[in-house]
């Protein structure tokens, strides 16, 4: 875990060559490449050590590991960055301010770090469904993370909403603990990878219901039932469940760059092929960036490109 290897122990200095906002695979890779270029690097991570990959039960498509727990891979990346001398701290970046050629990174702790280059690797957060009962029962039966909350539903019956890789991957994890999983998806066919589909459809605990919409979540103190709609027959029906897990996509954490970068129609940051935004010296990498594939390996690649380009463009004389 991040805290085991030193995050939060670095004293923030007044200035760095590069400040990296976010400690997931993109940010940590950027830190490694920054340090290998002989530049100083500060990584600011506000929440989850190793980023969102820590919530992935198994990673099976990262080169060099046929299968590795997401948390373990994240820990290895942290150790790698620290090994090369990157500084890591737990804090939240509230604002990035441009001052001439420098950038001022304002933190919630009241401290400010000055840097020539800022690499934003803030990732994305789970998208909400927006159905009645979702907010009311959040943390009382409604969850967006099977790894975090699955153990609360041991031997129970849960609904999983979604048909992509996250929904299928998290369902396989939940199947180790719960009695039954009903997966519902508004489309006729899932969008998950073939390998994940094969595993889910072969699991006796998991029932997949296409063309089915979650309409409402009900209960008293906690989730007790859901109202589903059969889109093919255009009828609603009720199902008793113990929990609801929602995996219907992500929203980019791009608020920091709304005035410093162009955003696409979904709020992802638009960069050039070098990961640089329209503001010179500000880069965006990983899941916050507008691109076609969001995976751990593509996040790491983004971080490597940004750090390497930044070193050549802004620090070589």
């Amino acid at each position: 875990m991040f805290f085991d290897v030193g995050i939060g122990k670095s004293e923030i200095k007044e200035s760095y060559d590069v400040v990296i906002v976010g400690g997931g695979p993109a940010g940590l890779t950027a830190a490694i490449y920054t340090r290998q270029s002989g530049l100083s690097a500060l990584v600011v991570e506000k929440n989850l050590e190793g980023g969102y990959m820590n919530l992935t039960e198994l990673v099976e498509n990262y080169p060099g590991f046929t299968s590795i727990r997401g948390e373990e891979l994240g820990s290895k990346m942290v150790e790698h960055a620290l090994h090369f001398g990157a500084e890591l701290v737990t804090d939240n970046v509230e604002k990035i301010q441009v001052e001439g050629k420098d950038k001022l990174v304002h933190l919630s702790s009241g401290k400010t770090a000055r840097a020539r280059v800022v690499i934003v690797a803030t990732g994305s957060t789970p998208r909400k469904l927006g159905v009645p009962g979702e907010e009311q029962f959040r943390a009382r039966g409604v969850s967006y993370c099977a790894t975090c909350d699955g153990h609360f539903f041991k031997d129970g019956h849960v609904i999983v909403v979604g048909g992509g890789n996250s929904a299928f991957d998290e369902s396989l994890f939940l199947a180790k603990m719960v009695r039954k999983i009903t997966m519902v998806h508004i489309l006729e066919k899932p969008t998950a990878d073939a390998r994940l589909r094969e595993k889910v459809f072969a699991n006796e605990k998991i029932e997949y219901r296409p063309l089915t919409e979650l309409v409402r979540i009900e209960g008293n103190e906690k989730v007790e039932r859901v109202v589903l709609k059969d889109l093919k027959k255009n009828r609603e029906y009720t199902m008793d469940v113990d929990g609801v897990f929602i995996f219907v996509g992500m929203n980019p954490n791009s608020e920091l760059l709304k005035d410093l970068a162009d955003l696409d129609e979904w709020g992802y940051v638009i960069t050039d092929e070098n990961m640089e935004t329209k503001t010179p010296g500000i880069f965006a990498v990983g899941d916050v960036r507008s691109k076609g594939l969001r995976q751990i390996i593509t996040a790491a690649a983004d971080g490597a490109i940004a750090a390497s380009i930044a070193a050549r463009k802004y620090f070589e004389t």
Side-chain angles (χ1 to χ4, degrees):
M1 299 289 288
F2 236 10
F3 292 99
D4 295 335
V5 290
I7 187 170
K9 297 180 181 179
S10 297
E11 289 295 327
I12 298 178
K13 298 192 287 284
E14 289 185 2
S15 65
Y16 294 85
D17 294 319
V18 179
V19 170
I20 299 158
V21 186
L28 292 171
T29 305
I32 292 167
Y33 275 73
T34 297
R35 289 296 299 138
Q36 286 185 323
S37 297
L39 305 173
S40 60
L42 172 69
V43 179
V44 183
E45 168 58 44
K46 72 172 183 177
N47 188 19
L48 187 64
E49 56 276 14
Y52 200 73
M53 66 179 158
N54 267 0
L55 303 182
T56 302
E57 168 66 0
L58 287 177
V59 177
E60 297 181 307
N61 56 6
Y62 194 82
F65 301 96
T66 55
S67 180
I68 184 172
R69 292 172 58 238
E71 183 180 354
E72 183 182 357
L73 181 57
S75 180
K76 288 181 179 294
M77 289 187 181
V78 172
E79 291 176 5
H80 196 163
L82 290 172
H83 171 76
F84 280 109
E87 298 180 31
L88 295 87
V89 68
T90 304
D91 210 326
N92 181 51
V93 175
E94 294 188 341
K95 183 180 180 182
I96 300 171
Q97 179 183 354
V98 178
E99 188 178 84
K101 293 183 178 180
D102 289 344
K103 319 298 179 293
L104 301 180
V105 181
H106 301 280
L107 308 180
S108 295
S109 60
K111 297 181 179 180
T112 298
R114 180 182 294 269
R116 184 74 185 278
V117 167
V118 174
I119 299 176
V120 176
T122 45
S124 55
T125 52
R127 184 176 299 151
K128 308 297 189 298
L129 269 181
V131 299
E134 182 178 7
E135 285 300 319
Q136 177 185 351
F137 295 107
R138 187 175 182 182
R140 290 191 293 153
V142 172
S143 174
Y144 305 88
C145 175
T147 309
C148 309
D149 301 324
H151 62 282
F152 292 120
F153 303 93
K154 182 176 174 60
D155 298 324
H157 175 201
V158 300
I159 285 275
V160 171
V161 183
N165 284 345
S166 294
F168 274 64
D169 182 62
E170 300 280 25
S171 292
L172 290 169
F173 176 77
L174 285 168
K176 299 177 181 179
M177 294 168 282
V178 303
R179 170 177 52 84
K180 180 180 179 181
I181 298 169
T182 302
M183 292 188 70
V184 298
H185 189 207
I186 61 173
L187 301 180
E188 186 172 3
K189 295 181 179 179
T191 57
D193 294 340
R195 182 177 174 84
L196 286 172
R197 295 200 305 267
E198 289 174 5
K199 289 183 177 181
V200 164
F201 294 152
N203 194 306
E204 295 181 352
K205 288 186 176 182
I206 304 174
E207 177 191 3
Y208 178 74
R209 297 191 181 188
L211 294 173
T212 302
E213 180 182 8
L214 176 63
V215 176
R216 189 164 62 253
I217 303 169
E218 299 178 340
N220 291 311
E221 296 300 316
K222 59 183 181 65
V223 170
E224 296 176 357
R225 72 192 72 86
V226 293
V227 177
L228 302 174
K229 183 175 182 180
D230 185 324
L231 298 176
K232 192 172 183 178
K233 297 181 179 179
N234 195 30
R235 69 176 182 88
E236 293 186 358
Y237 59 97
T238 300
M239 177 181 290
D240 292 336
V241 296
D242 300 296
V244 178
F245 286 83
I246 299 171
F247 306 107
V248 291
M250 309 292 286
N251 287 323
N253 300 319
S254 56
E255 182 70 16
L256 276 175
L257 294 179
K258 65 178 183 178
D259 298 322
L260 299 170
D262 292 325
L263 308 181
D264 67 16
E265 59 184 306
W266 296 283
Y268 289 95
V269 181
I270 297 173
T271 71
D272 61 19
E273 62 182 5
N274 294 325
M275 311 298 139
E276 195 165 14
T277 68
K278 70 177 183 180
T279 301
I282 295 184
F283 295 74
V285 296
D287 285 1
V288 75
R289 189 174 78 86
S290 179
K291 57 181 182 177
L293 181 64
R294 295 182 178 88
Q295 295 283 293
I296 295 173
I297 191 169
T298 61
D302 286 358
I305 292 169
S308 298
I309 295 298
R312 294 189 186 99
K313 185 174 179 179
Y314 292 100
F315 297 97
E316 287 189 356
T317 57

